[in-house]
Every structure is written in C-alpha cells, then in structure tokens.
Amino acid sequence: MSPQERLIVALDLPTRADADALADALDVDVKWFKIGLELYSSEGPGLVRDYTAAGRRVFVDLKLHDIPATVERATKRLAGLGASLLTIHAAGGRAMMEAAVAGASAGAAGQGGERLRILAVTVLTSLEQSDLAGVGIQAPISELVVKRAKLAAEAGCDGVVASPHEAAALRAALPEDFLIVTPGVRPAGAALGDQKRVMTPAMARRAGADMIVVGRPIRDAQSPNAAAKRILEDLEL
Ligand code: C5P
C-alpha cells in the first residue's frame, strides 16, 4: 500500500462547508476521509454519497451496536451510499458482527463496487480498567482487546480499530490480511503534551498498523496541507 492508501483524515467538523474546506485544502493526494458521529449527525447520508461520487473513499465511523437485524439493515443502507469502511462494536457479539458483514455484502451486490469493509471496535480507548469494572467486566483490557478482535475475525469482519500500543499484540494474534486501523497518532516532532499513549505514523506502521486515522493534527494545523504532507512522508519510512 502507498502512504496515500494508509492515511485517513478525520473530518471532525460540524458542517459540510467546514468538511469541504478541509478536504479541498489538502492538495497532497489524500484518498481517505472519516465521517464520524458529529458530521454524520448534521449532514447525513447525502454527504457520504457526494464524497464517494467524487472519488473520495469514505470511512463511516458510526460504531454501530444494536440487535443483529437492525445492524444488518443499517449496514446495507450504508453500503449503498458507497462507503468503504464502517465501524461496529465487537461488544455487540458474534451474531451482530456476522449480521453487519451480511448487510455489507448485500448492500454492495447491486453496485458493482468493492464491498463495504467492517471494522470492529474492541474496547474504547477512553475506558480504563476501573470503567470496565463499573459495568461488570473484570477481564484485563489487554486480554479483552485480543479476545474481541479474534471474535471479530471469526465473524468475518475485515479488521479492527485499535490503539497503536495494541497493534503489535493484535498483529501477532490475527490473520495477516486482517486490517489494523489506529487513531492516537501524532506527527513526528509534534509536541505530545500530556498525550502519552500516542505514536508517530512511522512507529504505528512498524507496530503493525495498516492504516492510521489523524484528526486534530491536520484539522487544527496552521497549514493542514503541510501537516498531511509531513505525515505522508513519515509513512514512507
Ligand atoms: O486525536 P485525533 O483528533 O487525531 O483523533 C482522530 C479520530 O480518531 C477522531 O475522530 C476520534 O474519534 C478517533 N479516536 C479514537 N480513539 C482515540 C482517539 C481518537 O477513535 N483514542
């Protein structure tokens, strides 16, 4: 994969005008854009349809978690919009993950394009061990992450979203072609501030990440284009 195929820019913005301004400011060849809950909630399926029609590859980060039948029906609709990646929660269980994969396959059938790929979220990185204990889960987070990732692979999912710090353990435990997508990445040389659990793009790549998601370091940069260019260069290493 080329560096351009590995970088996903998160459009964590409130409106289509803001998203367009950022996407259009990137003259370096960025192929992938992530539309998350905020932008999807304001602009909806039309934005996904328009971006994919314009040749952009869209990662719809909606982290679905519901009964299997509902997830299958929603996934089929999202596949019909032309999206390329979608997140679901592995905590929804095997049947729910299988339903998402079935919906993705059914949705792509009429389009001739490649199938929407399903990424499982194992354990939100915002949760600590004590948060899990609070909802009745005693298993160590690192074990839970690997257990859920393996279940996602068995259920036919295409990959997982994981912290770069989990990437090496996951790479060792999962099939070679299973995608590992990591947020929590900061450009080489950037101030890490109080963020300790981050890696540079090159470090994430070496740890086994196939693709990285970058939001604020590009969105909030004085020159988003220069920031994206530096990240692409780091991914060459
Ligand atoms: O931190 P940054 O702004 O680069 O985050 C980019 C994207 O990655 C955001 O859209 C956020 O939802 C997601 N993210 C995540 N898990 C984290 C950190 C960020 O899913 N631990």
Side-chain angles (χ1 to χ4, degrees):
M1 276 202 263
S2 67
Q4 285 79 9
E5 286 167 314
R6 296 188 188 280
L7 173 62
I8 303 168
V9 175
L11 298 173
D12 290 328
L13 292 158
T15 67
R16 177 188 286 244
D18 295 316
D20 287 349
L22 177 56
D24 293 342
L26 301 173
D27 328 313
V28 283
D29 189 18
V30 170
K31 294 189 188 314
W32 282 94
F33 294 93
K34 183 168 87 73
I35 295 178
L37 282 171
E38 180 188 14
L39 191 56
Y40 196 83
S41 297
S42 67
E43 302 291 353
L47 183 68
V48 179
R49 215 181 272 120
D50 292 349
Y51 270 39
T52 57
R56 290 171 168 150
R57 308 197 72 192
V58 175
F59 170 5
V60 198
D61 188 13
L62 298 182
K63 298 188 177 74
L64 302 183
H65 188 169
D66 208 318
I67 60 169
T70 300
V71 168
E72 180 168 350
R73 293 171 74 90
T75 304
K76 193 170 167 185
R77 298 293 150 229
L78 290 164
L81 303 177
S84 297
L85 284 172
L86 167 70
T87 41
I88 62 171
H89 273 288
R94 184 182 191 122
M96 191 205 81
M97 291 194 274
E98 286 172 349
V101 173
S105 306
Q111 298 204 116
E114 65 176 29
R115 168 169 90 63
L116 170 66
R117 285 181 287 174
I118 304 295
L119 299 178
V121 174
T122 55
V123 179
L124 288 173
T125 51
S126 52
L127 297 177
E128 296 180 356
Q129 199 67 53
S130 57
D131 298 308
L132 292 183
V135 294
I137 298 173
Q138 308 305 334
I141 287 183
S142 55
E143 280 177 26
L144 196 56
V145 165
V146 172
K147 187 183 174 96
R148 288 181 176 174
K150 283 184 172 171
L151 186 65
E154 285 166 24
C157 290
D158 301 280
V160 279
V161 178
S163 148
H165 292 270
E166 295 159 351
L170 288 171
R171 190 77 285 166
L174 294 167
E176 215 174 290
D177 60 352
F178 202 64
L179 280 179
I180 298 177
V181 178
T182 60
V185 174
R186 290 291 173 268
L192 298 185
D194 59 357
Q195 285 270 29
K196 294 198 176 65
R197 293 188 53 78
V198 295
M199 286 192 186
T200 66
M203 285 161 70
R205 175 86 197 95
R206 279 196 292 272
D210 297 294
M211 302 171 85
I212 62 168
V213 177
V214 183
R216 287 164 290 185
I218 292 177
R219 184 196 69 187
D220 298 341
Q222 219 164 23
S223 165
N225 194 53
K229 186 162 178 274
R230 272 198 305 278
I231 291 167
L232 289 169
E233 284 165 2
D234 200 41
L235 283 171
E236 297 266 13
L237 301 176

